[in-house]
Amino acid sequence: MTSVTMTVNGKSVSGEVEGRTLLVDFLREGQGLTGTHVGCDTSQCGACVVHVDGEPVKACSVFAAEADGAEVTTIEGMANPDGSLGTIQQAFQDHHGLQCGFCTPGMVMSAAALLQENPKPSEAEIRDYLEGNICRCTGYHNIVKAIMAASGQDVSAVAAE
């Protein structure tokens, strides 16, 4: 067993983990942060995206011990301090960027990373950035629209597909 300590959503957390414990399991089972989803176990779907030291990572491909000392942000950390939805989360709701919701946490976390890098991405840039996130329900159009709206862009002219 290995001791790990990290800051998760602004709070210091510690735990004992086996060397093979994945970050997604540490967050879900060890910390009760079940918003980070396990979709494929092969880092293909992006449902488990979290930020580690400000960078988006697929938590199913990172060992918890690798995040020792890191600052981790999960979907739960994207809400406003009062618990209301954050800007990106609200845009997903307002623009129907989700259906079943399973992929949504990873999409929101990826969108946050994109907007940090590129505050006003084009539709093509958003689609390219989300290549590592799979949604089986929406067809991506409203997800792209939500991300554009979260960036402050006018989406009224974005045509429906």
Side-chain angles (χ1 to χ4, degrees):
M1 297 295 274
T2 302
S3 292
V4 296
T5 300
M6 61 190 78
T7 302
V8 179
N9 300 328
K11 177 182 159 194
S12 180
V13 298
S14 297
E16 294 287 321
V17 297
E18 292 182 31
R20 65 183 178 178
T21 302
L22 297 172
L23 180 57
V24 70
D25 296 323
F26 178 78
L27 295 169
R28 288 181 60 80
E29 296 166 21
Q31 304 307 309
L33 298 171
T34 57
T36 302
H37 294 157
V38 179
C40 66
D41 282 327
T42 60
S43 82
Q44 300 296 310
C45 74
C48 66
V49 172
V50 298
H51 295 176
V52 176
D53 292 332
E55 296 295 322
V57 300
K58 293 179 179 177
C60 74
S61 65
V62 175
F63 292 116
E66 292 177 281
D68 186 37
E71 188 167 321
V72 177
T73 304
T74 69
I75 189 66
E76 290 88 352
M78 297 301 289
N80 292 319
D82 67 0
S84 63
L85 296 177
T87 302
I88 299 169
Q89 294 168 311
Q90 188 64 56
F92 268 69
Q93 182 178 19
D94 293 345
H95 296 279
H96 311 289
L98 59 108
Q99 283 184 15
C100 82
F102 194 81
C103 71
T104 305
M107 291 286 187
V108 168
M109 297 307 292
S110 291
L114 168 61
L115 295 177
Q116 185 69 31
E117 256 180 55
N118 181 355
K120 300 283 185 202
S122 68
E123 181 177 344
E125 289 169 325
I126 293 169
R127 288 182 184 278
D128 184 59
Y129 198 90
L130 294 180
E131 189 174 85
N133 294 76
I134 296 173
C135 176
R136 291 176 176 93
C137 300
T138 69
Y140 300 92
H141 182 69
N142 287 341
I143 292 169
V144 172
K145 194 173 185 179
I147 295 169
M148 290 183 80
S151 75
Q153 298 182 69
D154 179 16
V155 296
S156 61
V158 176
E161 289 183 357

